[in-house]
Amino acid sequence: MMSRPVVARATRTGQVAGWADDRLGLARVARKHLRKVFPDHWSFMLGEIALWSFVVVLVTGVFLTFWYKPSMGEVVYQGSYDQLRGIPMSEAYASTLELSFDVRGGLLMRQMHHWAANLFIAAMMVHMLRVFFTGAFRKPRELNWLIGLGLLMLGIVEGFAGYSLPDDLLSGTGLRIAEALMQSIPVVGTYVAFFVFGGEFPGDDIISRLYTVHVLLIPGLLLALVGLHMLLLVYHKHTQWPGPGRTEKNVVGFPMMPVYAAKAGGYFFIVFGVTALMGALLTINPIWAYGPYNPSQVTAGSQPDWYMGWLDGGLRLMPSWESELFGYTISWNVLVPGLLLLPLLFGLLGAYPFIERWVTGDRREHHLLDRPRNAPTRTALGVAGVTAYGVLWLGAGNDILAIIFDLSINTLIVVLRVLIFVAPVVAFVLTRRICIGLQRADRDRVLHGSETGVIRRLPTGGYVESHAPLSIEEQWRLTAHESPEVPAIGPAANGNGAPRPGARGDRLRTAMSRFLSGHDVAKPTREELEEAHHGDGHANGVDRVSEPDSGHRVR
Amino acid sequence: MLLTALLLTGGAYAVLSPASAQDDLAADEALVDRGRQLFLVGCASCHGTNAEGIVTSDGTQYGPSLVGVGAAAVDFQVGTGRMPLAEPGVQAPDKPAQYDDEETRALAAYVASLGPGPAIPEAEKYDLEGVDEEGVVRGGQFFLTNCTACHNFAGAGGALPEGKYAPPLQGTDPKYIYEAMLTGPQQMPVFSDEVITPEDKEDVIAYIQSLEENPSYGGFALGSYGPVAEGMFAWLLGIGALVGFAVWIAANSVRSKKRTKA
């Protein structure tokens, strides 16, 4: 090995750095990564919200474990909340009350933990939508997309486990529903429920089991996957929006040190601050008002936290269908929304990058993002999914909607049952038309310039509107994407008239490809641009731009 | 023999039934008469001129019979403004009372005179004087078992089928909570004195009052509607603010190009 140059040993800092470098080899790693470049856009910081709120959840969660007792052993409450003194309750609930009322800062920590958890999952979802709508899941990032989905799924399970731990009335009601979901599994459901709860509901095992899952198992998995997610992010490099000088082979942005580190570090404090403010000012999960769990009690407004809401909505919207097969009752009303909805969503999301890749036949790497309008069908599919999710959300809040807006809960359910099928289709069609309209508008702007609102009267008596030329950056931005293309397929039959192997798959692929990009608007070609700019002259002043299709340079 | 038995039963009933407490209200003939006058003007169009109720041609009830509902029901319905009804609907909403105290008393006296029913409770039944801390805790258990399923854990109200609802209890006069338990207005079941004793009723009211007197421990309570409201705040306020900060940071750190001077 070559000896490394001994530099900067003169100063005290240099000595410390040198000591560490000699033992850890930091300089090589640091040299490479401290100058790592990240592109700058607000939407690239959504994942950071998730990361930083996860840190807040970890820190506040550690605090909570110092007082929380994961036990269903019965104690009589003697703490300082008057309205429950003398009531028998589980140690879990009593210790959560203690945290809320007798531990200094405990309620703040509980509320910060809960708000940060809500924000963590929400941020993961927003981040996922950003990645989906911009096509950032394409090669080489498919695996990171799947890891992200794993994180989201684990986050949801983790949240539900945490929601169940205080053993208050809502916790128990939620667990009761979870038990019903398990029981609805055909044939083995009862065994599964007994296995999980250690006997008949509620038993006295579930809280300590969920505790291990909540503080050890899932956080460990989450941390590992977050690490992997970030490693792959560094390895793949970050995607960027198209623009002058930005290609599939470079990353234009700011180096890790000092710019990006400062921004990310600063953003951490903002996330921490917002969570702290919410924890200090807004009540979340007032367990003292719910009371300890008692199977004979229930409260109006019993809902899960928001990330489970859509599943609860599915349960509320599903008609009460049951059938009996070979002596086993199949509860479709619980089975379908409770057990099939979650795998359906994650299955669709997980399969989408591979389906799109197969349909487009695109094997290239993509580091430049799509503007959502330039992938109208993908965008429309995403909006349809968001719409369906939203309808299920409304379903989960049907009782709250009914009282706030003076509606009939029955009518609301009927309307939502229709909307769950109709609204996504309407959203799909509308979104696709809007995207295509935006594409047309972009095309017009590239060909004719921006509308100025200045109307001129011609000597002949006609009126025309003046168009202003676009800047080169703007033209690049509007034309950086690829024109839609339906892949060509071979003939259905070979020369001898026999069916060509794979012809059927190709036909399906072509049909799907037409569905995916058949409606898209082609971007202007070089010829069209020249024609527009030098032709009849209605784009006055635009003729000095270079055409975006060919290799143009930034000034 | 039979006659004796009947007489005994009847006598025992007269002595023991709630109607035996059929207060002086119905005995005050002037008051009953004034109530009848008011009733004929304000109530009879739906409840019938003798409060016997009106049945529509298709067999549904236009206004129910008030015979035997008792003075407490009148005091609750009229005192909270639910009656007279502004318009037919699934449920009578509360609104500013349309009759003053004296008129309400007169209406109650008239309805009480029609048949035996629960009387307006005396003030000492709901003044919470005799409720100690244990009573509040006990009342809380009654409340969580019997009331929260419809009225919500904080008494914020809840939805019932077909547009009906359990109204919020926050800020409700203890007398009306007591009368509601006693008479079971609209969708509410009757919790008679045999089901929940007067002392327990007072405990329940004391618990509801104590919730209102609690400081809002966790900060703004978001309407006490539970996780739906929390989710809305997490998204609109939390994610909204954080995305706003992200936009601000991305727009204001290092500029990717020099600002051209105008």
Side-chain angles (χ1 to χ4, degrees):
Chain A
M1 281 282 142
M2 303 276 286
S3 64
R4 262 169 268 145
V6 180
V7 288
R9 288 267 161 123
T11 63
R12 182 131 190 99
T13 327
Q15 279 168 10
V16 174
W19 185 91
D21 180 36
D22 289 344
R23 283 152 188 85
L24 300 169
L26 289 178
R28 253 181 66 204
V29 181
R31 196 179 306 129
K32 188 169 167 204
H33 291 289
L34 289 183
R35 301 302 295 169
K36 183 114 189 142
V37 164
F38 287 92
D40 212 15
H41 192 263
W42 66 267
S43 69
F44 301 160
M45 302 178 76
L46 298 173
E48 256 179 73
I49 305 179
L51 181 66
W52 299 138
S53 50
F54 182 53
V55 172
V56 177
V57 172
L58 285 178
V59 172
T60 52
V62 168
F63 182 95
L64 298 180
T65 58
F66 293 159
W67 283 274
Y68 175 75
K69 295 187 185 68
S71 155
M72 294 173 92
E74 193 173 271
V75 291
V76 174
Y77 182 66
Q78 296 296 351
S80 53
Y81 182 69
D82 290 343
Q83 282 95 328
L84 291 172
R85 197 169 302 127
I87 298 286
M89 55 182 65
S90 69
E91 275 191 274
Y93 184 72
S95 61
T96 316
L97 281 180
E98 190 201 349
L99 258 169
S100 305
F101 292 109
D102 299 304
V103 174
R104 191 177 299 273
L107 183 56
L108 175 67
M109 288 294 159
R110 259 198 63 223
Q111 299 205 133
M112 278 179 72
H113 188 70
H114 206 141
W115 280 122
N118 273 357
L119 290 178
F120 171 51
I121 304 175
M124 281 200 282
M125 213 160 214
V126 177
H127 172 59
M128 181 196 78
L129 289 175
R130 195 280 293 173
V131 169
F132 180 83
F133 284 121
T134 57
F137 55 78
R138 290 174 297 173
K139 187 182 173 185
R141 294 182 179 77
E142 299 101 323
L143 286 179
N144 225 14
W145 168 258
L146 293 181
I147 292 173
L149 287 180
L151 281 168
L152 180 58
M153 179 102 93
L154 285 172
I156 291 172
V157 177
E158 175 74 344
F160 182 75
Y163 173 94
S164 307
L165 285 181
D167 202 24
D168 61 298
L169 189 52
L170 277 189
S171 296
T173 309
L175 280 175
R176 185 59 148 177
I177 294 172
E179 187 217 13
L181 296 190
M182 292 171 208
Q183 286 177 332
S184 74
I185 304 170
V187 185
V188 297
T190 323
Y191 300 98
V192 171
F194 269 57
F195 179 70
V196 169
F197 285 88
E200 188 61 72
F201 178 89
D204 43 25
D205 288 332
I206 188 67
I207 293 288
S208 44
R209 288 179 183 180
L210 283 177
Y211 184 68
T212 307
V213 170
H214 185 75
V215 305
L216 178 74
L217 185 62
I218 299 186
L221 288 172
L222 279 173
L223 274 172
L225 286 181
V226 166
L228 199 56
H229 200 66
M230 309 277 294
L231 274 179
L232 282 177
L233 158 73
V234 170
Y235 175 69
H236 290 143
K237 300 177 185 62
H238 205 286
T239 51
Q240 57 186 346
W241 287 104
R246 298 177 182 182
T247 69
E248 296 283 9
K249 298 208 158 41
N250 69 5
V251 184
V252 179
F254 296 104
M256 181 78 167
M257 281 302 277
V259 178
Y260 203 73
K263 289 173 72 165
Y267 199 44
F268 168 67
F269 288 108
I270 288 177
V271 173
F272 204 110
V274 167
T275 329
L277 277 178
M278 291 181 81
L281 299 177
L282 305 175
T283 307
I284 187 164
N285 201 17
I287 51 135
W288 54 89
Y290 296 133
Y293 180 56
N294 176 336
S296 69
Q297 298 174 352
V298 72
T299 171
S302 287
Q303 261 97 2
D305 272 348
W306 72 262
Y307 42 83
M308 297 289 275
W310 66 294
L311 295 172
D312 190 39
L315 282 171
R316 291 178 188 221
L317 294 192
M318 184 76 188
S320 56
W321 291 336
E322 275 185 11
S323 48
E324 212 182 288
L325 280 177
F326 309 111
Y328 292 103
T329 302
I330 312 283
S331 299
W332 302 109
N333 48 352
V334 183
L335 189 66
V336 174
L339 290 180
L340 301 185
L341 224 45
L342 194 71
L344 178 75
L345 177 76
F346 279 86
L348 286 176
L349 285 171
Y352 186 81
F354 302 98
I355 296 175
E356 192 183 289
R357 184 181 151 90
W358 177 70
V359 171
T360 56
D362 190 350
R363 301 282 181 272
R364 293 164 304 164
E365 291 205 352
H366 290 278
H367 300 285
L368 288 177
L369 297 172
D370 280 335
R371 299 174 77 209
R373 70 183 59 173
N374 288 329
T377 304
R378 182 204 292 148
T379 304
L381 284 171
V383 173
V386 169
T387 308
Y389 192 92
V391 172
L392 290 172
W393 247 1
L394 292 177
N398 59 2
D399 55 332
I400 307 289
L401 291 175
I403 42 173
I404 302 261
F405 296 108
D406 280 339
L407 301 169
S408 158
I409 203 167
N410 305 54
T411 315
L412 196 61
I413 286 184
V414 173
V415 169
L416 291 177
R417 277 177 184 167
V418 175
L419 281 184
I420 190 65
F421 295 106
V422 175
V425 178
V426 173
F428 177 85
V429 174
L430 278 181
T431 309
R432 188 147 85 164
R433 292 324 302 179
I434 290 171
C435 286
I436 292 171
L438 288 170
Q439 279 191 314
R440 291 220 173 94
D442 282 352
R443 189 185 148 91
D444 278 355
R445 285 184 66 205
V446 172
L447 288 177
H448 309 301
S450 301
E451 294 177 6
T452 58
V454 177
I455 310 288
R456 282 186 308 151
R457 186 174 172 190
L458 299 177
T460 51
Y463 292 90
V464 292
E465 184 180 6
S466 306
H467 284 70
L470 295 182
S471 67
I472 288 188
E473 286 90 348
E474 184 72 358
Q475 289 196 48
W476 182 297
R477 212 170 56 79
L478 296 183
T479 53
H481 61 288
E482 287 160 0
S483 263
E485 211 177 307
V486 177
I489 55 162
N494 64 16
N496 304 324
R500 186 174 59 82
R504 185 185 296 229
D506 278 354
R507 268 207 303 281
L508 175 66
R509 220 183 106 201
T510 315
M512 285 175 75
S513 180
R514 279 208 195 93
F515 173 74
L516 196 68
S517 54
H519 296 70
D520 298 7
V521 177
K523 70 176 181 185
T525 62
R526 181 182 184 146
E527 291 72 33
E528 283 170 330
L529 256 182
E530 279 168 4
E531 157 101 20
H533 294 165
H534 302 292
D536 53 6
H538 59 195
N540 51 332
V542 195
D543 47 349
R544 60 183 171 75
V545 301
S546 62
E547 63 291 330
D549 263 350
S550 61
H552 45 299
R553 270 163 285 123
V554 193
R555 283 177 297 209
Chain B
M1 181 64 195
L2 186 68
L3 193 68
T4 326
L6 275 174
L7 276 175
L8 269 178
T9 322
Y13 183 78
V15 173
L16 296 175
S17 78
S20 67
Q22 206 42 266
D23 38 43
D24 3 65
L25 267 186
D28 186 340
E29 275 181 39
L31 199 61
V32 169
D33 199 49
R34 169 146 172 70
R36 207 175 96 80
Q37 300 303 323
L38 287 167
F39 185 88
L40 286 173
V41 175
C43 318
S45 58
C46 299
H47 291 290
T49 47
N50 292 309
E52 75 281 22
I54 294 180
V55 177
T56 59
S57 54
D58 54 353
T60 59
Q61 218 156 36
Y62 193 60
S65 162
L66 299 183
V67 177
V69 300
V74 179
D75 191 56
F76 176 84
Q77 300 281 0
V78 178
T80 59
R82 287 181 165 80
M83 290 291 150
L85 207 53
E87 55 181 354
V90 288
Q91 190 166 331
D94 60 328
K95 58 179 187 293
Q98 305 298 302
Y99 293 95
D100 64 24
D101 289 349
E102 192 272 327
E103 291 166 330
T104 308
R105 250 179 91 73
L107 283 167
Y110 170 65
V111 170
S113 75
L114 301 171
I120 299 172
E122 302 84 36
E124 64 259 28
K125 283 190 172 167
Y126 52 82
D127 62 6
L128 315 183
E129 297 265 314
V131 183
D132 55 4
E133 224 176 69
E134 275 179 38
V136 173
V137 174
R138 202 165 44 238
Q141 294 305 299
F142 271 108
F143 182 75
L144 289 166
T145 307
N146 296 297
C147 315
T148 52
C150 300
H151 286 287
N152 151 310
F153 61 92
L160 298 173
E162 307 286 3
K164 296 161 192 161
Y165 56 91
L169 302 176
Q170 300 140 336
T172 306
D173 189 327
K175 176 170 85 160
Y176 294 130
I177 300 180
Y178 195 101
E179 286 175 346
M181 287 190 269
L182 199 59
T183 63
Q186 315 213 19
Q187 321 308 320
M188 186 163 159
V190 174
F191 296 96
S192 68
D193 283 347
E194 287 76 33
V195 176
I196 296 185
T197 62
E199 296 75 46
D200 292 338
K201 284 194 175 81
E202 201 173 4
D203 289 346
V204 170
I205 296 169
Y207 178 75
I208 297 171
Q209 295 274 305
S210 79
L211 284 186
E212 284 178 44
E213 283 157 19
N214 272 352
S216 185
Y217 294 110
F220 175 50
L222 318 184
S224 294
Y225 283 123
V228 172
E230 293 163 6
M232 194 182 88
F233 272 81
W235 274 90
L236 296 186
L237 198 76
I239 293 294
L242 289 173
V243 169
F245 277 118
V247 172
W248 175 69
I249 289 178
N252 274 297
S253 51
V254 184
R255 287 181 207 291
S256 52
K257 53 188 170 207
K258 282 177 194 149
R259 251 191 201 161
T260 48
K261 282 185 183 155

